[in-house]
């Protein structure tokens, strides 16, 4: 019998790609998602790529404790991957209570259900945003955290809660993964990032400019102390992030308690470098204007991935060209996202 993994938030961007990776490696997948930021069609695409049945989907909010308990009762769940969260930084500033309620309240509800049902293995989605205004790059897991918005604070609070739970609950093993900037899509063009409304993040915005659905890209500031003045980030292919979760499942029992790892490539790219890579990979021109800095942005965030490389003997393998090509492939084949 393959192991059964509960993927919470599994219909979303990273969750759906992770479902493909797990199904292709023989895991049984059960998904819980309230579809507040995703479409059930993503799981149909998952099944098509993996050539399996569509994973069981429970459409529910994880804060619904009795419904969540039913899910644990109905399946022999051995491990949980927790992707479910609200993730828009700007929005979180305007609605902090909703962000703490959903992200922190969702995590405590999930951990309670796990404890009640004797499930002790969890992979948690954290974020490079917990590092805040990094004083130097690349960042190791030992560098200080300093969240600068409610979204990032909600992730940091979850990390602290999980640390305390691991101290208290014998046998509880948590892998806390701080992703940097996941982008790209499954190379099939069937699965990708399908944000609602106008995208706020660079890669999905740029893909829509390339397609002509948005007129021009705004480059937020060219006066940062970086290679060309524009913001530097560690873009990581979503299939590497998905693969990282599959590998994480194999390492959950390596050590007891809570362990934190950066999930990035270790390579920083500026906005202008990403535009150039996108143009090279797709043959499309990206018209842009340089505008003021976006409030709250930092100059550079780049992972030092040494810890995860050593612990799992694993590293990311897809480059910026693949990220751009695959993001564009999905965008050009799915003009209206999964609604197509
Ligand atoms: P996403 O919005 O595509 O996926 C999250 C999923 O969780 C969505 O399908 C949403 O409907 C669901 N969800 C949210 N709240 C829920 C709730 N209370 N109950 C049930 N389902 C709920 O986001 P993503 O990009 O796939 O991100 C996955 C995780 O990774 C999130 O926790 C996010 O904070 C974290 N993360 C994302 C990035 C990024 O740039 N995408 C970077 C770092 C960390
Ligand atoms: C990347 C770079 C912008 C849009 C976000 C979250 C973070 C984490 C990862 C969840 C920056 C510039 C952007 C545009 C631009 N997510 N930019 N024009 O802000 O690094 O990180 O995703 O945990 O918490 O904040 O990603 O893609 O928005 O920006 O010039 O239209 O592109 O200034 O330098 P960010 P992003």
């Amino acid at each position: 019998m393959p192991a059964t993994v509960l993927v919470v938030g599994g219909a979303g961007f990273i969750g759906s790609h992770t479902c493909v990776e797990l199904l292709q490696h023989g895991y049984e997948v059960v998904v819980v998602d309230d579809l507040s930021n995703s479409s059930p069609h993503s799981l149909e695409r998952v099944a098509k790529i993996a050539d399996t049945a569509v994973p069981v989907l429970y459409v529910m909010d994880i804060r619904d404790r009795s419904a969540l308990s039913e899910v644990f009762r109905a399946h022999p769940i051995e491990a949980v991957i927790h992707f479910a969260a609200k993730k828009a930084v700007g929005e979180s500033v305007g609605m902090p209570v909703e962000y703490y309620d959903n992200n922190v309240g969702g995590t405590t509800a999930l951990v309670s259900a796990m404890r009640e049902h004797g499930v002790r293995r969890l992979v948690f989605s954290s974020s490079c945003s917990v590092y805040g205004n990094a004083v130097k790059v690349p960042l190791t897991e030992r560098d200080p955290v300093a969240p600068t918005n409610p979204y990032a604070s909600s992730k940091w609070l979850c990390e602290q809660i999980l640390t305390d739970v691991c101290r208290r609950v014998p046998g509880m093993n948590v892998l806390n993964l701080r992703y940097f900037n996941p982008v790209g899509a499954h190379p099939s063009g069937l699965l990708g990032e399908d944000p609602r409304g106008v995208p706020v993040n660079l890669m999905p915005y740029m893909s829509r400019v390339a397609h002509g659905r948005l007129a021009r890209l705004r480059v937020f500031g060219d006066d940062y102390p970086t290679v060309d003045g524009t913001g530097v980030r560690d873009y990581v292919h979503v299939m590497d992030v998905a693969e990282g979760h599959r590998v994480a499942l194999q390492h959950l029992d390596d050590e007891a308690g809570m362990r934190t790892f950066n999930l990035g490539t270790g390579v920083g790219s500026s906005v202008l470098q990403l535009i150039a890579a996108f143009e090279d990979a797709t043959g499309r021109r990206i018209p842009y204007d340089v505008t003021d800095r976006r409030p709250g942005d930092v100059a550079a965030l780049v992972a030092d991935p040494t810890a995860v490389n050593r612990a799992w003997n694993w590293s990311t393998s897809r480059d910026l060209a693949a990220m751009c090509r695959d993001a564009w492939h999905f965008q050009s084949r799915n003009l209206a996202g999964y609604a197509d």
Side-chain angles (χ1 to χ4, degrees):
M1 270 288 285
T4 302
V5 179
L6 176 64
V7 184
V8 182
F13 173 44
I14 305 173
S16 58
H17 290 78
T18 302
C19 287
V20 169
E21 179 74 13
L22 297 186
L23 290 169
Q24 287 180 330
H25 285 81
Y27 288 93
E28 288 287 345
V29 168
V30 176
V31 174
V32 165
D33 200 303
D34 66 0
L35 304 181
S36 55
N37 195 39
S38 53
S39 155
H41 297 310
S42 65
L43 294 177
E44 292 159 14
R45 307 271 182 105
V46 164
K48 197 167 172 185
I49 297 168
D51 195 18
T52 60
V54 179
V56 179
L57 166 66
Y58 292 88
V59 180
M60 50 167 275
D61 189 316
I62 45 166
R63 290 168 292 176
D64 181 342
R65 289 177 184 237
S66 62
L68 193 56
S69 223
E70 281 306 314
V71 176
F72 278 91
R73 252 192 287 279
H75 302 274
I77 293 163
E78 293 182 10
V80 178
I81 307 182
H82 176 25
F83 292 109
K86 288 178 166 294
K87 63 164 184 177
V89 170
E91 183 183 69
S92 79
V93 175
M95 39 197 298
V97 176
E98 288 82 352
Y99 268 69
Y100 288 118
D101 201 351
N102 193 68
N103 296 0
V104 180
T107 299
T108 52
L110 178 63
V111 170
S112 300
M114 288 177 65
R115 206 174 43 179
E116 187 187 327
H117 295 275
V119 178
R120 298 276 188 266
R121 299 190 188 96
L122 174 68
V123 182
F124 176 69
S125 300
S126 189
S127 165
C128 61
S129 61
V130 299
Y131 294 114
N133 263 307
V135 285
K136 58 111 185 140
V137 292
L139 288 149
T140 76
E141 295 80 357
R142 289 176 306 285
D143 280 312
V145 298
T148 57
N149 56 70
Y151 165 72
S153 297
S154 76
K155 288 289 169 184
W156 173 235
L157 275 171
C158 290
E159 291 194 8
Q160 291 173 286
I161 290 165
L162 294 172
T163 303
D164 289 342
V165 171
C166 285
R167 285 194 186 117
R168 183 78 190 92
V169 180
M172 182 85 187
N173 290 354
V174 176
L175 278 170
N176 173 45
L177 306 183
R178 292 177 179 160
Y179 321 144
F180 278 65
N181 286 52
V183 295
H186 191 271
S188 62
L190 287 170
L191 208 57
E193 190 168 12
D194 183 21
R196 298 198 167 166
V198 178
V200 289
N201 299 118
L202 179 57
M203 183 68 99
Y205 198 102
M206 192 159 64
S207 303
R208 291 193 190 186
V209 171
H211 193 261
R213 287 172 70 194
L214 292 168
R216 297 175 79 77
L217 179 69
R218 283 171 302 158
V219 174
F220 295 138
D222 64 354
D223 56 351
Y224 287 106
T226 61
V227 58
D228 55 22
T230 64
V232 165
R233 296 292 183 273
D234 186 337
Y235 298 98
V236 52
H237 198 296
V238 66
M239 288 312 300
D240 275 329
V241 178
E243 191 181 292
H245 285 77
R246 198 242 316 149
V247 177
L249 289 176
Q250 297 162 2
H251 289 277
L252 265 167
D253 294 335
D254 287 357
E255 269 179 57
M258 166 96 163
R259 282 158 300 149
T260 296
F261 290 113
N262 288 334
L263 202 42
T265 64
V267 178
S269 305
S270 73
V271 177
L272 296 183
Q273 286 169 338
L274 190 65
I275 294 173
F278 192 95
E279 290 184 338
D280 280 353
T282 66
R284 296 275 163 157
R285 300 278 314 142
I286 304 294
Y288 67 83
D289 304 301
V290 176
T291 66
D292 288 345
R293 291 181 179 192
R294 183 171 64 176
D297 270 353
V298 301
L301 276 179
V302 180
D304 178 341
T306 308
V308 83
N309 297 164
R310 285 202 183 130
W312 303 349
N313 192 24
W314 174 85
S315 55
T316 59
S317 59
R318 294 155 177 97
D319 63 10
L320 211 54
M323 298 179 215
C324 295
R325 189 184 59 235
D326 294 337
W328 171 241
H329 192 200
F330 176 74
Q331 176 68 55
S332 54
R333 285 188 55 167
N334 301 272
L335 304 185
Y338 293 121
D340 277 4

